[in-house]
Amino acid sequence: MSSAEILNELREIMIDVFDVDDLEVTPATTAEDVEEWDSLSHVRLVVAVERKFKIKFKNSEIEALKSVGDLVNLIEAKTAA
Amino acid sequence: MSETASDPLAEILAGLPNTRAVIDSVLAVWPEHAAYLAKSLQARTPAMLAATEAAATAVRRLTAGNEATVAADYRWTCDRLREEELFFHREERYRLSTFAEAMAEVYSDHAYMARYVNGLLLTQVLWFNHVATFEMFLNRVLGAQTQPFDYLEVGPGHGLMVYFAAASSLSRSLEAWDVSAVSLRETAAALDKMGVEKPVSLTEVDILKAGQSERRYDLIVISEVLEHLERPEQALRFLTTALKPDGRIFVNVPLNSPSPDHIYLLSSPDEVTALVEGVGLKVETMELYATQAKKLESALRNRITVSAGLVARRA
Ligand SMILES: C[S@@+](CC[C@H](N)C(=O)[O-])C[C@H]1O[C@@H](n2cnc3c(N)ncnc32)[C@H](O)[C@@H]1O
């Protein structure tokens, strides 16, 4: 899957997890840009991503995630392995 | 330290000096928590803000001289809870399921418990769902008493609710039971610090082993305890027999609330009603408050924590 495809999937997951109608995301998007993205929804986002891509994150990886781009890169690395 | 609070907070906190002091102590050790706290505060009704300030006034007496440590412990507690959240959403269950496990991992670890208890104390001011059920307790449980009442609380913890029950001019006798002697000693110390004026009898009782109640009560409170029990229905069955015929019980229990020592998972309001009514009680009112005042339906669907506060009578 290309990073553009991952980004698109991710956007749909975020819309679902944050319970919003629509969402504009770019690799530069961070929690500060999205009102519904707080520490609690971050946990649900991570778990939804794990399910969708059949991968598992380490705690240290979850803590290090700062932007949508970080998440895309991590998904790419994990699904390529 | 007023500059640490962001503008929307400053406005809401203008008439709430003790709430402001608690929040400033937390932002000093955890500035990134400001947006969360702003949202939590903005969602509160005037009655909830008054309850917030009442809780904060008591909390400041309890933490005087120790504010920075307690604030750091709150941050630490939130980190532990986030770990449990991760497990819960991955596995769709609480990590521990027996009292023996919780004892081994949490209750017997005094250093861990000390931090955890401090952290939970601040949630009484900082978390929307905790303040909301506390406001229900103050105004629609205690506030609804019209006659002198005998009060029993199981698992008083920080003692805030017994304290406010004691402050009611209508409370005639006050008892609190807890399985843990350590916890009871802390409740006693807390009541002392808050300056409770009426006598409160504190007794070591395992609610799951209580036999026949010697006394009957007008008002029984069990708040944030059922989720710690292997057999919550057994506790409720006993408490039903301890109610006077027209007595009321206030139950506060969180749904989908992963925590190191939560072992009994309730996921919906219907499950709570079934649990309570299954022992011969009739639910009169139930109020539901989601974390951060999120929409209820969406919170339940997404398994976000919702506090359920209910008043019941013998059926
Ligand atoms: C989380 S605290 C609740 C504090 C406070 N009531 C509140 O609403 O925040 C739970 C309390 O229940 C007590 N507890 C747990 N199991 C119990 C049992 N079997 N019988 C009596 N008390 C118990 C614990 O020792 C602890 O003090």
Side-chain angles (χ1 to χ4, degrees):
Chain A
M1 213 186 263
S2 70
S3 9
E5 284 166 332
I6 292 175
L7 183 65
N8 206 34
E9 287 275 3
L10 197 50
R11 183 177 150 270
E12 279 176 27
I13 295 172
M14 291 171 82
I15 287 176
D16 188 44
V17 167
F18 299 151
D19 227 337
V20 292
D21 293 331
D22 199 11
L23 197 65
E24 240 187 84
V25 289
T26 72
T29 306
T30 67
E32 264 160 43
D33 306 316
V34 183
E35 211 210 318
E36 293 76 11
W37 192 351
D38 59 20
S39 55
L40 286 172
S41 57
H42 186 64
V43 169
R44 289 187 299 111
L45 173 63
V46 161
V47 173
V49 167
E50 287 183 338
R51 288 218 177 107
K52 178 78 194 178
F53 293 95
K54 301 193 171 53
I55 52 180
K56 193 150 182 181
F57 297 121
K58 298 196 196 88
N59 282 357
S60 56
E61 291 171 333
I62 296 170
E63 274 159 36
L65 290 174
K66 295 283 175 264
S67 66
V68 168
D70 291 348
L71 194 48
V72 171
N73 291 341
L74 197 56
I75 294 167
E76 241 184 331
K78 295 232 168 208
T79 48
Chain B
M1 238 185 315
S2 50
E3 70 278 6
T4 51
S6 61
D7 282 338
L9 267 179
E11 215 167 286
I12 297 173
L13 294 176
L16 312 171
N18 291 310
T19 307
R20 148 138 248 156
V22 172
I23 286 182
D24 280 347
S25 74
V26 168
L27 291 180
V29 298
W30 193 7
E32 303 83 0
H33 202 42
Y36 181 96
L37 293 179
K39 204 166 187 180
S40 172
L41 266 295
Q42 275 159 354
R44 300 181 195 185
T45 63
M48 288 177 190
L49 288 173
T52 305
E53 183 66 7
T57 307
V59 162
R60 283 195 76 201
R61 282 194 212 141
L62 295 180
T63 58
N66 216 5
E67 290 86 351
T69 309
V70 174
D73 290 346
Y74 168 74
R75 182 176 187 164
W76 178 88
T77 299
C78 289
D79 286 340
R80 299 290 78 71
L81 293 175
R82 213 149 32 245
E83 292 167 4
E84 299 295 334
E85 287 278 345
L86 188 59
F87 180 95
F88 176 67
H89 286 284
R90 275 178 177 156
E91 311 293 331
E92 301 186 338
R93 63 178 176 87
Y94 290 164
R95 201 165 49 81
L96 306 184
S97 59
T98 67
F99 180 74
E101 289 172 320
M103 176 55 88
E105 211 178 287
V106 186
Y107 300 133
S108 62
D109 185 339
H110 293 304
Y112 189 106
M113 279 306 283
R115 306 193 80 178
Y116 186 46
V117 167
N118 278 341
L120 292 182
L121 179 63
L122 292 201
T123 69
Q124 293 297 316
V125 176
L126 303 178
W127 288 7
F128 174 82
N129 57 320
H130 282 184
V131 168
T133 48
F134 182 61
E135 189 273 329
M136 176 186 184
F137 170 74
L138 288 182
N139 293 326
R140 289 176 296 292
V141 179
L142 277 184
Q145 291 296 144
T146 53
Q147 301 291 322
F149 62 92
D150 297 315
Y151 179 92
L152 168 65
E153 180 165 346
V154 179
H158 42 61
L160 285 186
M161 291 167 124
V162 202
Y163 168 74
F164 282 95
S168 158
S169 60
L170 290 172
S171 56
R172 185 167 46 204
S173 70
L174 301 135
E175 277 188 49
W177 299 351
D178 201 292
V179 68
S180 148
V182 175
S183 181
L184 280 179
R185 270 201 296 281
E186 288 189 1
T187 307
L191 292 175
D192 233 35
K193 279 191 199 160
M194 289 187 284
V196 76
E197 275 160 22
K198 292 179 189 166
V200 178
S201 130
L202 300 172
T203 317
E204 200 177 319
V205 178
D206 180 346
I207 193 67
L208 296 180
K209 296 198 179 121
Q212 193 69 33
S213 178
E214 285 162 27
R215 286 189 66 198
R216 298 257 181 123
Y217 305 86
D218 299 287
L219 179 57
I220 297 181
V221 169
I222 181 159
S223 171
E224 304 248 343
V225 174
L226 293 180
E227 69 279 16
H228 296 261
L229 306 179
E230 286 180 18
R231 293 179 308 281
E233 72 288 351
Q234 197 173 313
L236 289 171
R237 189 166 292 122
F238 168 79
L239 292 176
T240 305
T241 68
L243 273 180
K244 290 187 190 172
D246 56 353
R248 301 189 304 155
I249 179 166
F250 174 64
V251 178
N252 177 21
V253 67
L255 311 177
N256 297 318
S257 171
S259 202
D261 53 348
H262 288 181
I263 60 175
Y264 194 92
L265 173 62
L266 290 158
S267 292
S268 72
D270 287 348
E271 280 175 40
V272 176
T273 305
L275 178 68
V276 171
E277 300 205 329
V279 303
L281 289 164
K282 176 87 190 116
V283 175
E284 271 190 356
T285 53
M286 187 184 314
E287 298 183 18
L288 300 162
Y289 298 102
T291 294
Q292 290 290 71
K294 288 189 193 293
K295 286 198 271 332
L296 191 60
E297 180 261 336
S298 139
L300 290 170
R301 183 163 29 87
N302 290 306
R303 294 179 156 246
I304 291 166
T305 305
V306 170
S307 285
L310 68 88
V311 175
R313 291 181 191 271
R314 293 165 76 156

